[in-house]
């Protein structure tokens, strides 16, 4: 048994550095284009006029701006598909450090786009930041999950989600008119991503690589011991090395599997299905649609237009608070309560928004109920569903399957993100207020799936978690074989049931 290990300064420093310099950029880039949207459109139009002598019509301008926003998700999808190859070649920390070059390229394109009169630089910059975010969203939780002791894996695993919320809040705050929300400042606002990345690339290379990667994949025992001593301080690391060696022996004849091999491997089908459900559910929960229509809902609630931007910043602060609650309670409550409770709250609040939108013309206070439901959805999402799916993806798989699992989970996450952004306007037009019931159904379905299928992984080693799913798989196969035996017996001259009973009776009389 491994003793309970307390968080060390080096562990905390790596978690903060990787989350601050990588994960936070995802949240920042999600929200940063909202505030200067009008200025970016004007820049596009003026540039086209200077080139062609005529400006863009409204539809073309909207299409060009929509491409600027949505190409971030396309880049994210491409980045997520590269994760398996990158972490196998460069390692976990190596991938985080090497991918920073993308941020500096993107920051340069975004920062100098206005001086160069080039909308193409803005679009390319957004695409490249998307590729970096697609890599970071998978690699950072994988790295933190592997360096953390089992009793701190949840705490460190949710650190990235707190910084994602911080990134959203930072973009909303800096986008205020009093700060960088003026027309002349939007290129600077978009290029600020280079600041946290610069701090990360200066400090993170001094920290060790993942011990599990060094031992299981690189077979470097000396580097593994050095890394564990760095991360564990004054505790006995022998038990942890033995647990890694046990996993290494179980994988001695297994190379790192590809995505296709992962999907065909029947021994991990429940884990793969679980990753698919929680990652798709995370995006189809409607959180992006809620963010898109937050200003409209606040406007309908009677909040004056000039004050809506400050109210939106307030929701960003709620995100951070909810993320902190999840981070500091996950090792006490476990993964299941946070993800089930989070999706459950989101589902009920989605239903509440539908009810309030239907009744707000008849019942005055219902418009305030809609605001409360928006806050509830955001808080429910950030307390569990925002970060736990990435953590669970690390915990459900052994070292050989983990890179491919993150590729599957990450790519599905980005595809669902793009899909909901594309179809929601049409869903809203066709279903009106009832469109939020679709999100309600998704949230409740995911909560039910997690309740019945995914076991609690708190304070368990990766081998113990794999054995829990192996037991589930064996039970399912045993039930299937018993069912087939019963069907076979029934075909034997019509006396299958009688012969089966006689056989059981004979067996029971045997010594």
């Amino acid at each position: 048994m491994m003793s309970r290990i307390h968080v060390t300064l080096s562990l905390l420093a790596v978690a903060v550095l990787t989350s601050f310099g990588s994960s936070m950029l995802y949240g920042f880039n999600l929200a940063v284009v909202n505030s200067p949207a009008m200025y970016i459109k004007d820049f596009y139009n003026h540039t086209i006029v200077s080139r062609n002598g005529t400006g863009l019509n409204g539809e073309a301008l909207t299409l060009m701006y929509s491409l600027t926003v949505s190409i971030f998700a396309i880049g994210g999808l491409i980045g997520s598909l590269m994760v398996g190859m990158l972490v196998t070649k460069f390692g976990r920390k190596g991938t985080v450090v090497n991918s920073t070059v993308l941020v500096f390229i993107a920051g340069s394109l975004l920062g100098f786009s206005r001086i160069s009169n080039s909308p193409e630089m803005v679009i390319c910059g957004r695409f490249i930041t998307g590729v970096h975010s697609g890599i970071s969203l998978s690699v950072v939780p994988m790295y933190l999950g592997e360096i953390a002791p089992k009793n701190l894996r949840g705490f460190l695993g949710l650190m990235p989600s707190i910084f994602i919320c911080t990134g959203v809040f930072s973009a909303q705050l800096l986008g205020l008119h009093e700060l960088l929300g003026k027309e002349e400042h939007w290129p600077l606002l978009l290029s600020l991503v280079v600041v946290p990345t610069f701090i990360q690339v200066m400090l993170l290379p001094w920290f060790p690589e993942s011990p599990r990667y060094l031992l299981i994949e690189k077979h470097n025992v000396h580097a593994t011991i050095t890394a564990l001593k760095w991360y564990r301080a004054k505790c006995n690391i022998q038990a942890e090395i033995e647990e890694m060696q046990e996993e290494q022996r179980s994988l001695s004849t297994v190379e790192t599997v590809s995505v296709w091999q992962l999907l065909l491997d029947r021994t991990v089908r429940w884990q793969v299905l679980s990753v698919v459900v929680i990652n798709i559910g995370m995006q189809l929960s409607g959180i992006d649609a809620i963010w898109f229509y937050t200003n409209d809902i606040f406007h309908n609630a009677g909040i004056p237009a000039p004050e809506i931007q400050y109210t939106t910043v307030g929701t960003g602060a709620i995100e951070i608070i909810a993320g902190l609650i999840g981070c500091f309670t996950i090792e006490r409550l476990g993964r299941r309560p946070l993800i089930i409770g989070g999706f459950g709250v989101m589902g009920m609040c989605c239903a509440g928004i539908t009810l309030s939108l239907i009744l707000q013309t008849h019942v005055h206070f219902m418009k305030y109920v809609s605001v409360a439901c928006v806050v509830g959805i955001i808080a429910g999402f950030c307390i569990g569903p925002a970060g736990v799916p990435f953590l669970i993806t690390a915990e459900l798989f052994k070292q050989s399957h983990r890179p491919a699992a993150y590729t599957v989970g990450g790519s599905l996450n980005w595809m669902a993100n793009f899909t909901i952004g594309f179809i929601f306007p049409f869903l809203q037009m066709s279903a009106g207020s009832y469109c939020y019931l679709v999100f309600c159904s998704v949230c409740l379905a995911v909560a039910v799936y997690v309740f019945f299928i995914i076991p609690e992984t708190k304070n368990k080693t990766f081998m113990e978690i794999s054995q829990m799913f192996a037991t589930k798989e064996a039970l399912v196969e045993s039930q299937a074989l018993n069912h087939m035996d019963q069907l076979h017996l029934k075909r034997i001259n019509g006396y299958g049931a009688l012969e089966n009973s006689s056989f059981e009776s004979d067996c029971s009389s045997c010594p």
Side-chain angles (χ1 to χ4, degrees), residues 372-494:
C373 288
V374 168
V375 173
I377 289 171
I378 293 169
F381 179 76
C382 292
I383 205 168
V388 175
F390 297 111
L391 169 64
I392 286 183
T393 303
E395 293 184 324
L396 296 189
F397 294 91
K398 293 182 183 178
Q399 195 81 6
S400 59
H401 292 65
R402 197 171 295 128
Y406 266 104
T407 299
V408 171
S411 58
L412 287 173
N413 198 301
W414 284 101
M415 282 191 283
N417 183 319
F418 181 80
T419 300
I420 200 66
F422 183 77
I423 69 169
F424 180 73
F426 301 101
L427 180 65
Q428 209 265 343
M429 283 189 292
S430 60
S433 303
Y434 295 97
C435 68
Y436 293 99
L437 293 180
V438 176
F439 304 133
C440 171
S441 302
V442 171
C443 291
L444 296 181
V446 174
V448 169
Y449 177 88
V450 174
F451 181 82
F452 285 106
I453 300 298
I454 300 181
E456 181 55 67
T457 57
K458 180 184 73 170
N459 214 25
K460 290 182 171 60
T461 66
F462 293 119
M463 286 296 292
E464 289 170 343
I465 296 166
S466 293
Q467 287 164 3
M468 286 192 296
F469 275 97
T471 303
K472 182 189 290 289
E473 181 67 28
L475 180 62
V476 171
E477 289 187 0
S478 175
Q479 291 173 343
L481 286 172
N482 288 338
H483 181 65
M484 291 299 294
D485 288 343
Q486 290 171 5
L487 290 176
H488 179 68
L489 287 168
K490 288 178 181 178
R491 294 192 189 101
I492 303 176
N493 299 324

Side-chain angles (χ1 to χ4, degrees), residues 15 19 23-24 140-141 144 155-165:
S19 301
S23 303
M24 190 173 78
V140 172
L144 297 181
F155 171 73
L156 293 181
L158 285 193
M159 193 78 74
S161 67
I162 293 175
F163 277 87
I164 290 171
C165 298

Side-chain angles (χ1 to χ4, degrees), residues 233-276:
K234 299 178 181 178
C235 72
N236 181 17
I237 61 173
Q238 186 60 37
E240 211 166 340
I241 292 176
E242 288 174 0
E243 184 264 320
M244 291 185 203
Q245 288 175 330
E246 181 187 355
E247 183 176 346
Q248 185 183 31
R249 285 190 293 270
S250 74
L251 299 172
S252 58
T253 59
V254 180
E255 297 292 330
T256 301
V257 303
S258 66
V259 170
W260 184 245
Q261 290 171 322
L262 177 74
L263 297 176
L264 294 179
D265 190 346
R266 291 177 60 84
T267 63
V268 293
R269 60 180 176 178
W270 283 107
Q271 292 99 308
V272 172
L273 181 60
S274 298
V275 166
V276 169

